[in-house]
């Protein structure tokens, strides 16, 4: 899927269901979202998706409520865009170069931000690099 298609999917979902809340969207899609206590310090979130089983998103509950929403949107992107996967929202520099992480970041930002965002940006969302998308995500994730 190209960047325009990912942005369109996120915005279509938001418009169709009149919400950008990834928890409500996941619930409507039958995706289970779990909050995990006592996680390893390096664990943020994960999507587990295997054919024949419900898709599960796990989120470390030590993050702020806002950050958990951002993480959930990112993992929802994995759930909708990627087949049979176990994905972690990585905070390492090597993961930023993978296409699946770029796509999930783009989906999350498109879902959570105002449709008019492109009018206010110097770089349209669809033209943002993997590194810029990751920087936006990282900026919005804190404990």
């Amino acid at each position: 899927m190209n960047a325009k298609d990912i942005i369109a999917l996120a915005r279509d979902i938001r418009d169709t269901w009149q919400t950008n809340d990834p928890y409500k969207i996941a619930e409507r899609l039958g995706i289970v979202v779990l909050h995990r206590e006592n996680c390893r310090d390096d664990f943020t979130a994960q999507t587990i998706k295997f054919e024949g089983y419900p898709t599960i998103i796990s989120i470390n509950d030590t993050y702020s409520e806002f950050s958990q929403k951002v993480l959930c949107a990112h993992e929802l992107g994995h759930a909708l865009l990627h087949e049979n996967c176990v994905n972690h929202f990585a905070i390492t520099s090597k993961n930023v170069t993978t296409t699946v992480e770029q796509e999930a970041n783009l989906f999350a930002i498109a879902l959570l931000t105002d449709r008019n965002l492109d009018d206010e940006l110097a770089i349209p969302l669809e033209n943002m690099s993997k590194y810029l998308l990751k920087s936006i995500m990282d900026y919005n994730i804190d404990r």
Side-chain angles (χ1 to χ4, degrees):
M1 208 177 239
N2 67 39
K4 282 184 180 183
D5 292 338
I6 293 169
I7 293 166
L9 174 64
R11 291 179 175 167
D12 286 347
I13 289 170
R14 185 179 62 207
D15 293 347
T16 298
W17 289 333
Q18 298 295 301
T19 185
N20 71 344
D21 185 332
Y23 291 98
K24 290 179 182 177
I25 295 166
E27 182 179 0
R28 289 178 182 166
L29 293 172
I31 297 170
V32 177
V33 179
L34 304 173
H35 289 268
R36 298 289 184 194
E37 296 178 16
N38 304 316
C39 296
R40 296 184 339 251
D41 285 341
D42 64 340
F43 177 79
T44 51
Q46 172 186 52
T47 300
I48 301 172
K49 179 179 178 182
F50 293 108
E51 189 174 329
Y53 295 92
T55 299
I56 299 171
I57 294 173
S58 296
I59 299 172
N60 184 336
D61 74 350
T62 62
Y63 286 89
S64 69
E65 186 176 328
F66 178 80
S67 295
Q68 289 178 33
K69 184 175 180 179
V70 172
L71 290 166
C72 187
H74 173 93
E75 294 303 326
L76 183 61
H78 282 304
L80 296 175
L81 299 171
H82 307 125
E83 294 299 317
N84 297 337
C85 60
V86 177
N87 284 306
H88 298 272
F89 184 87
I91 54 173
T92 63
S93 59
K94 65 182 176 182
N95 200 19
V96 72
T97 60
T98 64
T99 301
V100 294
E101 291 304 313
Q102 177 188 13
E103 291 172 347
N105 287 340
L106 181 59
F107 178 88
I109 294 167
L111 179 70
L112 296 172
T113 58
D114 187 345
R115 183 179 286 279
N116 299 323
L117 179 68
D118 280 346
D119 297 338
E120 300 172 22
L121 298 172
I123 301 171
L125 190 55
E126 70 185 63
N127 294 335
M128 289 187 181
S129 71
K130 295 174 184 181
Y131 299 99
L132 183 52
L133 292 169
K134 180 156 177 17
S135 294
I136 292 168
M137 295 296 289
D138 288 347
Y139 180 82
N140 287 287
I141 297 173
D142 65 307
R143 290 181 189 226

